Amino acid sequence: MIADRLGGLAFGGDYNPEQWDEPVWKEDDELMREARVNLATVGVFSWALLEPEEGRYDFAWLDAHLDRLHANGIAVDLATPTASPPPWFTLAHPDAMPVTRDGTRLVHGSRDTYCLSAPAYRTAARRIASALAERYGDHPAVAMWHVHNEYVTLCWCEHTAAAFRVWLRARHGSLDALNEAWGTAFWSQRYGSWEQVLPPRATQWHRNPGLTLDFSRFFSDEVVAAYSEQRDAIRAHSDRPVTTNMMQPGYQNVDLWALSREVDLVAIDHYPDRPGLDAAADVAFAADRARSFGGGRPWLLMEQGTSTVYEQGRTLAKEPGEILRHSLGHIARGSDGALFFQWRQSKAGAEQWHSAMVPHAGPDSRVFTEVKATGEAVSRLGDLAGSTVTADVAVLHDSDAWWALNSDGLPSSELGYHSALRNAHRALWDNGVVTDFAHPEADLSRYRLVVAPALYLLSDAGAENLRRYVVDGGTLLVQYFSGVVDSRGHARLGGYPAAPLREVLGIRVEEYRPLRHEERIVLSDSSHGTVWSESVRAQGAEVIAAYTHGALAGSPALTRNHCGTGDAWYLSTQLDDADYTALMSRLLDAAGVGPVRPPGIEVVVRQGEDGRCWQFVLNHLAEPVPLPEAHDVLTGGPVRELPPGGCAVLTGGPL
Ligand code: GLA
């Protein structure tokens, strides 16, 4: 466990000392001590310095920084620099530069510019990872390894095409099977040889959905393989944990269930994209995902911003108190620390305007003052390292469903997987419950309520798993346009959703009727729907709310079916936020999940193996919140009230 090596929770961030000089390093040493930094991520973008020419290494500068950090009591999360190959690499291996969908070959001058399938890139990445591990594998400063940085770069070049064909042969076995899976009988797409198969490059109109789905799966496997190669190269020389930082929740290039199986601990980067309460909800969303991908084990917030919320082309400042509150929001939900990008704000270079722990203004600043307060708070929470969080509710999360829902030619362009997941999580968060994410084929028996939003693609095994979950006593909510296609992306025939699920829900969906842009319909229980509607026939299910207008007037919109010892609900439209939150409240009640808290006050419990509990209370509201008297670990004293925006970590007695 990383906390064992650090003697507490991790606090710190990306440290890029190569941007600075001796006097600044001296100040860094002092300020890091002041801020109680105990972990620095070093070397993420250092390839050009570490290997100035192919095969010639210069480690002297890194030796000096690792020794300095170690002498200052700061452990290192040592990165492999493979997210940003140096210019010499491009010139020596132009074929390893990525090619966009429309055939443009990119060049260096930014970062993340490589083709993951190019042999020269993979060889160079393994080589630098191995050289670093050989030199620093048992360096006393090194507490963990950080492979690469946010695997993100897609490529459509000839190397990719060749690797894709190898992958397709392994998946489908024969060209006949591939032709059948992709439905190439339509539009004269039949492939007569493997060489005819191309990645989904720019083409005239809708791309074949089987091709795009398989390409997403292929790329994900390629990432997992590239990561695993570097991890194995490191493990040959080091016994320290190895991980990689996973992208923001909105990026879905990699199946994070699969990648999480390969890392020693899940690590994520998180930058909210909306301010205020939405940002707090987004912190919870990202944190609950990270915990779930790691199977409930503690994980690590590898990056966040000190004063940055991305919103539609702007970077908004975090409000006073949010650095602490967001950090505690992640820790409450299982992170064994809070790290930032980056320690010191760059004075030049591509991210000179990105926030940092030490801003351009220097340590005499609001940001650094809040960083110090956060470091102090995190340092008081060392005892809870390794403790875990339990949830009674799960939202299903499946990469195949996500990728399939990105297909061209769906009945509405307003169907988004990420937004569907986020809305479901938000409606539960607004009800004050902690939510896990779970794969549709995972054991769901520990959850009282399972929500399946936008589960467009559902495997036969997944459908059977959901049937069993309900029959055995679970409460399930399936939402519109779910269970529609099988693992190959083929439509389910005879009525949606997938057969065993249809019976459990006691309904049959006969026709999809997307709503017009911004059309809002009213249901018989006065709730409102947007985006989507369906012609649903109740076949045993009770109708809870019906459509009231148009061709669907009188037909079911929301149903409930008792099946075995559980209940299966079906929602065939997208409810307005308030109505959706109210529905979740009703389902939580029916499933016996509580306690439910008012929105804006977040309460999460971490529990140790020895039964010790820490209750995080985060007040996101502008009013004070009274508390029953308890001991607050953050202040080391009793607390009776949380001020607006205040936080406490309570021990002793439930709230
Ligand atoms: C990502 C990267 C960092 C930095 C931040 C900026 O998370 O990993 O290198 O670019 O974004 O938000």
Side-chain angles (χ1 to χ4, degrees):
M1 197 165 70
I2 186 67
D4 293 338
R5 293 187 183 271
L6 304 178
L9 300 190
F11 187 71
D14 279 47
Y15 182 40
N16 297 303
E18 60 267 44
Q19 300 180 21
W20 304 98
D21 55 13
E22 184 89 36
V24 177
W25 299 333
K26 286 221 164 82
E27 192 188 49
D28 287 341
D29 289 344
E30 263 170 52
L31 296 181
M32 283 188 183
R33 272 198 306 274
E34 256 185 64
R36 296 173 183 270
V37 166
N38 61 7
L39 187 65
T41 302
V42 177
V44 177
F45 298 115
S46 306
W47 198 343
L49 285 190
L50 289 168
E51 193 181 358
E53 289 167 25
E54 187 149 12
R56 182 171 72 77
Y57 299 109
D58 177 4
F59 291 124
W61 68 274
L62 186 55
D63 292 347
H65 288 303
L66 294 198
D67 293 346
R68 177 173 59 84
L69 287 162
H70 184 57
N72 201 27
I74 293 163
V76 169
D77 170 29
L78 189 56
T80 65
T82 52
S84 199
W88 61 253
F89 179 84
T90 317
L91 299 184
H93 306 284
D95 64 300
M97 291 296 100
V99 172
T100 58
R101 198 195 296 278
D102 64 1
T104 307
R105 191 177 287 282
L106 305 180
V107 293
H108 61 253
S110 181
R111 68 171 184 192
D112 300 305
T113 316
Y114 53 81
C115 166
L116 211 51
S117 301
Y121 172 75
R122 289 281 273 274
T123 303
R126 273 196 309 270
R127 204 176 50 218
I128 185 80
S130 188
L132 279 164
E134 201 173 344
R135 188 164 186 100
Y136 300 111
D138 53 12
H139 191 289
V142 175
M144 62 187 287
W145 290 91
H146 179 296
V147 168
H148 201 83
N149 189 70
E150 296 185 334
Y151 280 99
V152 70
T153 305
L154 284 156
C155 175
W156 287 263
C157 77
E158 278 309 305
H159 290 305
T160 303
F164 185 38
R165 290 181 198 120
V166 170
W167 185 94
L168 288 170
R169 277 176 190 257
R171 182 172 178 92
H172 294 285
S174 70
L175 262 188
D176 282 348
L178 178 141
N179 279 309
E180 168 62 19
W182 290 5
T184 58
F186 193 48
W187 280 3
S188 180
Q189 290 180 345
R190 185 167 185 83
Y191 295 101
S193 76
W194 290 102
E195 287 62 42
Q196 293 170 6
V197 181
L198 302 174
R201 294 176 179 152
T203 189
Q204 173 58 19
W205 206 39
H206 289 172
R207 296 161 304 164
N208 180 299
L211 165 65
T212 50
L213 174 59
D214 271 351
F215 189 69
S216 297
R217 290 167 166 155
F218 152 76
F219 179 76
S220 177
D221 285 357
E222 197 77 329
V223 166
V224 172
Y227 163 80
S228 302
E229 270 170 24
Q230 287 203 39
R231 178 205 55 204
D232 294 346
I234 291 167
R235 279 194 184 153
H237 304 284
S238 184
D239 63 358
R240 316 290 148 87
V242 187
T243 190
T244 183
N245 51 337
M246 297 175 187
M247 289 290 286
Q248 289 274 85
Y251 286 82
Q252 183 64 14
N253 287 340
V254 185
D255 175 12
L256 295 178
W257 297 112
L259 185 56
S260 298
R261 285 193 285 274
E262 304 300 329
V263 297
D264 291 326
L265 85 164
V266 167
I268 63 156
D269 298 343
H270 185 249
Y271 300 88
D273 59 3
R274 287 174 295 185
L277 202 57
D278 292 337
D282 203 44
V283 165
F285 175 65
D288 285 344
R289 278 171 36 117
R291 183 185 65 252
S292 304
F293 290 136
R297 285 174 290 138
W299 52 276
L300 191 57
L301 173 66
M302 188 65 88
E303 284 183 29
Q304 60 175 332
T306 54
S307 64
T308 311
V309 174
Y310 293 121
E311 192 205 47
Q312 296 174 354
R314 293 169 194 86
T315 47
L316 305 178
K318 280 190 180 172
E319 294 303 323
E322 282 187 333
I323 294 176
L324 174 63
R325 227 167 43 250
H326 288 183
S327 299
L328 292 179
H330 284 288
I331 293 172
R333 290 167 192 267
S335 177
D336 267 0
L339 306 177
F340 295 81
F341 179 88
Q342 58 180 329
W343 164 252
R344 193 180 272 278
Q345 188 171 11
S346 306
K347 62 175 186 266
E351 293 196 306
Q352 67 190 132
W353 299 112
H354 192 283
S355 69
M357 300 167 82
V358 183
H360 285 159
D364 182 12
S365 57
R366 172 187 75 85
V367 166
F368 190 64
T369 305
E370 291 199 25
V371 163
K372 281 192 295 185
T374 304
E376 167 74 29
V378 172
S379 75
R380 288 172 177 258
L381 298 174
D383 281 357
L384 59 74
S387 60
T388 54
V389 178
T390 306
D392 292 326
V393 182
V395 170
L396 298 183
H397 186 306
D398 181 29
S399 305
D400 275 355
W402 189 321
W403 294 326
L405 204 61
N406 284 337
S407 302
D408 293 338
L410 296 183
S412 167
S413 59
E414 292 185 78
L415 301 163
Y417 195 72
H418 180 230
S419 56
L421 289 181
R422 220 152 96 144
N423 289 346
H425 184 274
R426 177 61 185 267
L428 291 161
W429 189 81
D430 280 340
N431 275 290
V433 296
V434 176
T435 300
D436 274 354
F437 289 88
H439 190 275
E441 293 175 25
D443 178 5
L444 301 171
S445 58
R446 68 176 178 282
Y447 299 114
R448 296 195 189 185
L449 173 64
V450 168
V451 179
L455 201 57
Y456 168 63
L457 181 153
L458 180 61
S459 66
D460 293 346
E464 169 55 22
N465 194 41
L466 296 184
R467 184 197 68 80
R468 193 170 336 109
Y469 169 71
V470 175
V471 167
D472 290 349
T475 300
L476 173 71
L477 170 66
V478 176
Q479 294 178 200
Y480 60 95
F481 208 43
S482 288
V484 180
V485 297
D486 66 14
S487 296
R488 298 183 305 175
H490 289 202
R492 304 280 185 180
L493 303 181
Y496 319 106
L501 187 56
R502 199 163 64 219
E503 277 97 58
V504 168
L505 291 164
I507 53 133
R508 177 168 173 267
V509 178
E510 189 185 320
E511 188 187 352
Y512 293 130
R513 301 180 67 93
L515 298 178
R516 299 177 67 184
H517 184 56
E518 293 189 345
E519 185 178 352
R520 200 157 165 260
I521 54 171
V522 64
L523 307 183
S524 59
D525 62 356
S526 305
S527 60
H528 287 86
T530 53
V531 177
W532 192 259
S533 67
E534 295 177 353
S535 165
V536 179
R537 279 199 225 161
Q539 296 188 329
E542 180 189 348
V543 179
I544 306 291
Y547 292 99
T548 57
H549 293 96
L552 295 181
S555 59
L558 173 66
T559 60
R560 176 178 57 196
N561 192 43
H562 192 65
C563 182
T565 52
D567 283 305
W569 296 65
Y570 188 73
L571 173 62
S572 63
T573 184
Q574 181 171 311
L575 291 179
D576 277 3
D577 291 349
D579 295 326
Y580 192 37
T581 306
L583 173 62
M584 288 296 189
S585 170
R586 182 173 180 176
L587 290 167
L588 289 165
D589 204 35
V593 181
V596 170
R597 302 192 184 281
I601 300 160
E602 196 171 343
V603 179
V604 187
V605 177
R606 279 186 71 158
Q607 186 163 18
E609 273 181 356
D610 57 3
R612 287 173 74 188
C613 283
W614 293 265
Q615 295 189 76
F616 286 72
V617 190
L618 313 179
N619 179 9
H620 301 296
L621 303 175
E623 300 96 51
V625 172
L627 297 173
E629 188 168 323
H631 177 80
D632 178 12
V633 183
L634 298 181
T635 58
V639 59
R640 282 173 180 282
E641 184 182 85
L642 273 188
C647 309
V649 181
L650 308 178
T651 53
L655 274 177

